[in-house]
Structures are given as structure tokens and as C-alpha cells.
Amino acid sequence: MATTLPTSASAATAAVRFFQPTGFCLPTAYPVFSPSRSPIRRLSVVACSPGTGGVAGQATSREDTVRIVAVVGDGSISPLKDTPWEEVMRHTADRLKWVDEGFEMLVFTDKSMDRDDFRKALSRCDMLVNVAITGQESVQCLIQNSKNILNVLCFQSSPSLLNKLGGKYVRYTGEQDFFGKLASVGKPSGAEESTEVLKTISNAWERHNSDDIRFCLLVVVNAYIRPVDMLQNLRAKGLSTLSCMIQNCGPQILNCLFDPDCRKAIQCLNSCSPTDQVCNYRCIASYESPHLEAFSLCVLQKHNCLELNAEIPSKPSVTPLSMFREQPLSHEVAEDLFVGWLDNLEWSWRVVAGQNPAYDQFPCQYQIFYRGKAKGSFWYEPIFQVKTLDGELVWRRRKYRVRRASIPGTFYFSVLDNGVVSKEFWTIVDVSDDFSWGLFHYHGAAQAAGQSYTGAVLVTPDGSYPEGDNPRLDSALEKCGIKKWELYMVDNCSCMGAPLGIPEGSRLHYQIAPGNEAGIMQRI
């Protein structure tokens, strides 16, 4: 569902901690996403001593190119739909380039460590990532050849391989699940800062998806190698944030702190990992209140107290569908493709699967597109289900204004959601001639919340995956740089009672519709 829902709980969390008697810490904004495809923003606090502040691991190098070497066990299998780790990491290398062309990751198997190009890459790298390395010979080779590498991460590998951040050794402790738990070895300088970074890394990897594997690597780059622009909202802002909040949003702070639901939302958010997007959204969905929305509107949108900024990503560059039913795609037909099955059914499309892990696992996602009463107006309303912390299933609905972009099949979306404006750029990648499936790609950003994101949704009329081999769908996914094993399947069972419907006087298809192969409909 594509919405970006930065929420006030972020700033409210900071407000609570700022006023605690134990002293203050510099606030840090972490990205969180809602299933409406809305990144909900959460503001948390970097671990620090009372009266002090700062982020973990200041960058040690401003060199333009960041060199990463990944070594995977030959033939090892990942938990991402049993995809070989080598394929997962090579795809991650491609996706790092979407963030910054200066990020270079070379991937090797442990059977190729005797090659000259491997030794050369290892001697120059800023970070080594070991995945599923268990053979004793490979382990010893990596230990001997990584002594001078400042950053080493080891996952699903022999316990003899130690992790290292900023030159400090760290190790796994506790239950040895897929990635285990990370902890600092001994009491090195900056242990508290390293622990915060390690917690973020561990939570990211435990999600078992391509977005968070990449995010994990970016966190290390940002903390120990050089700043990463897309993670700017993980950095502390200082006293200017507190001053802005007090001067401009005092009533909203107090209202939030004294409102039971708003206060519960903050407490709930504090119990979540900063990168646990599902946990954070469930907190918001369970304890939504007008005071929470008013707070985010004041602190984030109106006054930008967190001094955040984000731009809509430009990569990957996805070209829109250019022909439909052997005719050049026009703006009117492109809108008709969005309107889809509405009229035949109570909705335009149902989401089958999506690439972004933040929201695409949430159940019962409906899309409704329609033309408004006003000339040229077009609207998108996603409806989706959320399971609250109390075990209830509740429905949520958002409303977007949609405008045509310059090329048919591309659109600008915008919404004021939970107090923050989100803007997105959508592309109709492909829709089958019989409307049996469609693939829509999006780039988005919530500027005031400092978060940008990308993703895609596969849609069908009934929410079931298209049957049989589908080379056309495979090609559409490839255009987006998406692998099938990255897709999250949506649970479309138990979807009774969805709050569907469109405003009276809305207009639907203009020229084409399912079952209408060539006729001009022109519903005006």
C-alpha cells in the first residue's frame, strides 16, 4: 500500500526523555513504516551518559569509495526463501549502488579465497562481511587475512570468527539463533556507543529480508567509515531540537504526555528496537490519538524541530509501460489502469505481494483509485488491516491526491498522514491486457521526517498470485531490480468487513476497463 506515515510519537519520545531527571541525551530519529506504505517516524535516543551526547563511532574516513568484501560459504542457503547466500549478497551489492555509486561490494565464495583478485580486494577493503563460513580451513584463512581490517561482520558462521567495529572486537553471546546476539568484548572505549550500533545491526539482520541486510551494512558504513546521506536521521541534533519543541509546541507536548493513549504509544515505542518497523507501527495503530497527530504536525511538519530532510530517491530508474493493448499509453488510459476493477468489484486492486518489508506483510490490502468530482482530480485510497497489541484486527484507510507526471504511466502522490506530508512518485510498470495482474513501483519521501524509501506492489483482482509461468511478470520485476525471493506475500484471508466505498459523484473509467477490449467509455 504506499503511504508514508511519519508519526508524532517520534518527537514525543524525545520530549519525555528530555524532561526525565536523569539528564538529557541527544535525540535520534529512526525510520519506521506503516502497512499503508507509510514510513512512520520514530524519534529515540542514542545511548549516552547524563549530560553528554553524540552518536556512536564517528566516521574515520571521508574517502569517496567505500570498499566492502563479502565472503559466503560455497553453496550455503539463506532463509530468504532458500535463496543461495551468494545470490542474496550479489543482489545486495547492486542495491548498495542505488544508495551511493561510491559503495562497492565484491562477493566471493570461500572456495575462491586463493585467487589473486580476492587477496587484492581484501587488502583494500573497509569492511569484511562473512556469511555462512564454517569450514575450518576457510575460517583460519579469514582470521589470518583480516587482522588489519577495521570492520568485520560475521553471520551464521563459526564462533571463531570475531566481529569487529571501528577496530574493536565484538562477539556473539546468548542464544545462537540465525544471527545471534551481539555484545562488546570487555570494556573498550566507546562500548556504549558500539552497543547501540550492534543492537541496530542485530535487529536489522534478524529480519531476514534484502532491505535490512543492506541497511545493516549502511549502518556500519555510516558509523565507522563515512556518513550515509539516507541515514542522516540517525544522527543527533542537539539542544536546538529541544528549544524548538519547547518554544513552538509546548501545549502539544503536554497534551501528549497527559493523554493516556499518547503516553502508552510512547512507552510502547520505547520498548521496540529502533529498526523494528512492525513493532513500532503496531504501537501507533494500537494507541492512535488526536494528541499524537497534533504533536507530529507541530514538531515535525510545521516547525521541523528535528531539522530533518529527505528527497525522493531517483534509483532504481524504472521505465513505465509504454503500450497497452497494442496502443500507445496515454494519461487517461494509465489512470484507467489504476482504477482497474472498481465498478465490477468494490475495489480497484488487491495487493498480492510487495517488496518493501515495512508494510507488505500486513493483511488484507485493498487499493481504490477513482476520479473525483472536480475536473482533472484523481484519488487513491488504500485500505488495510492491522493486528493491534491487544490482539484485535482493525482497519485503516488513507487518502492520497494523485497528479499526472510528464510521462504517461507516471504519477505524483501526496498525503497528509498522521500530521506529516508524504510525497511519492509512482510508475505503472506493467498491467496484463486482461487486467489479471499489475505491477506498480514507487519512490517516496517524508521530508519532515527525514525518510526516503522505494518498493513495488504486485496486484490482482482477487488477491491471489498469478497462476503458472509468467515471463511478462518476470520481466516487469526485473525492470524494478526486484527478485521474486524479495517479495512478501500478503495474507488475504479473513478480510470481511473492509471499509470500502467511494465518495458520491466520483467518476471511474474514461476509456478502458476489464472486459472492455476496445470501447470508448468516457464516463464524464
Side-chain angles (χ1 to χ4, degrees):
M1 317 274 317
T3 58
T4 314
L5 175 69
T7 183
S8 53
S10 306
T13 302
V16 171
R17 294 190 177 181
F18 270 128
F19 288 109
Q20 287 178 342
T22 54
F24 69 89
C25 295
L26 299 183
T28 305
Y30 292 95
V32 185
F33 296 81
S34 90
S36 64
R37 235 205 46 290
S38 310
I40 300 177
R41 301 296 174 271
R42 175 186 176 215
L43 189 75
S44 187
V45 177
V46 172
C48 55
S49 302
T52 66
V55 293
Q58 298 298 323
T60 58
S61 171
R62 295 306 300 267
E63 182 182 6
D64 286 339
T65 301
V66 174
R67 295 180 174 86
I68 304 170
V69 171
V71 184
V72 302
D74 186 60
S76 58
I77 301 299
S78 78
L80 284 73
K81 299 183 180 178
D82 295 329
T83 306
W85 266 119
E86 183 178 3
E87 180 180 342
V88 171
M89 297 308 289
R90 290 191 186 281
H91 186 56
T92 301
D94 293 337
R95 298 183 83 243
L96 284 170
K97 290 287 188 181
W98 298 353
V99 178
D100 192 317
E101 284 290 342
F103 295 163
E104 175 185 285
M105 184 166 79
L106 302 178
V107 180
F108 301 88
T109 71
D110 60 348
K111 297 298 184 183
S112 60
M113 291 192 298
D114 58 345
R115 288 167 25 183
D116 290 340
D117 57 341
F118 171 75
R119 296 192 185 95
K120 180 179 179 181
L122 205 63
S123 69
R124 304 171 61 208
C125 75
D126 301 295
M127 186 197 321
L128 170 64
V129 182
N130 298 318
V131 181
I133 304 297
T134 57
Q136 191 59 33
E137 184 177 346
S138 298
V139 169
Q140 291 302 315
C141 177
L142 288 168
I143 290 174
Q144 290 298 319
N145 289 282
S146 62
K147 293 179 180 179
N148 295 325
I149 300 174
L150 295 180
N151 303 289
V152 181
L153 296 178
C154 308
F155 302 105
Q156 198 181 346
S157 297
S158 167
S160 299
L161 291 171
L162 295 180
N163 300 275
K164 193 193 303 183
L165 292 178
K168 303 292 183 180
Y169 281 103
V170 293
R171 62 179 175 83
Y172 291 116
T173 63
E175 180 182 353
Q176 292 295 313
D177 54 14
F178 178 62
F179 290 113
K181 303 298 179 183
L182 289 166
S184 296
V185 176
K187 295 290 183 179
S189 174
E192 289 186 354
E193 290 85 352
S194 295
T195 298
E196 192 69 23
V197 173
L198 292 171
K199 178 182 177 182
T200 302
I201 294 170
S202 179
N203 288 335
W205 278 90
E206 287 173 357
R207 280 212 172 285
H208 300 175
N209 67 72
S210 59
D211 267 20
D212 280 320
I213 290 174
R214 182 182 68 172
F215 178 72
C216 177
L217 304 183
L218 293 175
V219 167
V220 177
V221 173
N222 183 64
Y224 299 101
I225 302 173
R226 70 169 171 88
V228 177
D229 289 343
M230 71 176 293
L231 299 186
Q232 61 181 333
N233 57 342
L234 290 178
R235 300 171 190 160
K237 298 301 177 185
L239 291 176
S240 62
T241 295
L242 176 59
S243 176
C244 175
M245 290 167 64
I246 293 175
Q247 289 180 14
N248 299 299
C249 303
Q252 289 83 355
I253 293 174
L254 293 177
N255 288 339
C256 183
L257 296 180
F258 286 104
D259 175 66
D261 285 337
C262 193
R263 188 168 60 249
K264 286 179 182 178
I266 297 169
Q267 293 169 346
C268 180
L269 286 166
N270 283 334
S271 70
C272 297
S273 163
T275 55
D276 190 344
Q277 299 165 356
V278 174
C279 177
N280 280 275
Y281 178 71
R282 288 181 64 195
C283 291
I284 298 301
S286 297
Y287 304 114
E288 283 185 355
S289 77
H291 293 301
L292 203 60
E293 182 174 354
F295 192 93
S296 64
L297 181 63
C298 182
V299 173
L300 297 177
Q301 190 62 47
K302 289 185 176 180
H303 299 288
N304 193 21
C305 290
L306 305 186
E307 303 173 36
L308 299 176
N309 189 31
E311 300 294 333
I312 296 177
S314 59
K315 294 180 181 178
S317 178
V318 180
T319 56
L321 178 69
S322 60
M323 302 283 290
F324 186 75
R325 294 178 178 172
E326 300 182 350
Q327 296 296 321
L329 188 70
S330 65
H331 289 292
E332 291 78 13
V333 170
E335 290 173 348
D336 284 347
L337 297 182
F338 269 151
V339 175
W341 289 87
L342 189 59
D343 200 13
N344 298 67
L345 302 171
E346 293 184 85
W347 54 84
S348 299
W349 299 96
R350 295 187 67 179
V351 178
V352 179
Q355 185 270 334
N356 192 306
Y359 51 83
D360 290 336
Q361 75 274 34
F362 288 83
C364 301
Q365 300 179 34
Y366 294 85
Q367 294 184 328
I368 295 180
F369 292 90
Y370 59 92
R371 292 176 166 91
K373 293 181 181 180
K375 184 179 180 180
S377 64
F378 197 74
W379 301 92
Y380 165 54
E381 299 194 30
I383 298 103
F384 54 95
Q385 206 174 65
V386 176
K387 187 174 183 179
T388 70
L389 291 171
D390 299 325
E392 296 182 80
L393 287 175
V394 298
W395 290 100
R396 296 288 182 257
R397 182 166 180 158
R398 314 299 182 204
K399 186 172 183 177
Y400 288 77
R401 181 182 296 276
V402 181
R403 295 182 296 110
R404 298 172 180 176
S406 58
I407 301 175
T410 59
F411 298 84
Y412 296 107
F413 285 44
S414 62
V415 63
L416 179 63
D417 197 343
N418 212 29
V420 174
V421 172
S422 299
K423 298 180 179 180
E424 301 178 353
F425 182 79
W426 280 54
T427 300
I428 297 178
V429 185
D430 203 352
V431 174
S432 65
D433 289 355
D434 61 357
F435 282 76
S436 61
W437 62 268
L439 184 68
F440 308 146
H441 185 273
Y442 56 85
H443 296 295
Q447 184 175 21
Q451 187 63 30
S452 58
Y453 51 93
T454 65
V457 286
L458 173 63
V459 297
T460 62
D462 62 359
S464 60
Y465 201 90
E467 295 182 357
D469 293 334
N470 196 327
R472 183 169 168 179
L473 174 57
D474 294 342
S475 177
L477 289 169
E478 186 66 26
K479 285 172 64 177
C480 302
I482 294 174
K483 306 294 185 182
K484 281 188 176 180
W485 50 262
E486 291 184 274
L487 294 176
Y488 278 81
M489 301 305 296
V490 173
D491 181 1
N492 282 315
C493 301
S494 303
C495 297
M496 299 296 292
L500 304 173
I502 58 176
E504 185 177 352
S506 300
R507 298 168 298 138
L508 304 181
H509 305 90
Y510 178 82
Q511 184 171 341
I512 62 169
N516 180 273
E517 295 297 326
I520 302 297
M521 304 186 68
Q522 295 192 17
R523 297 187 179 185
I524 57 175

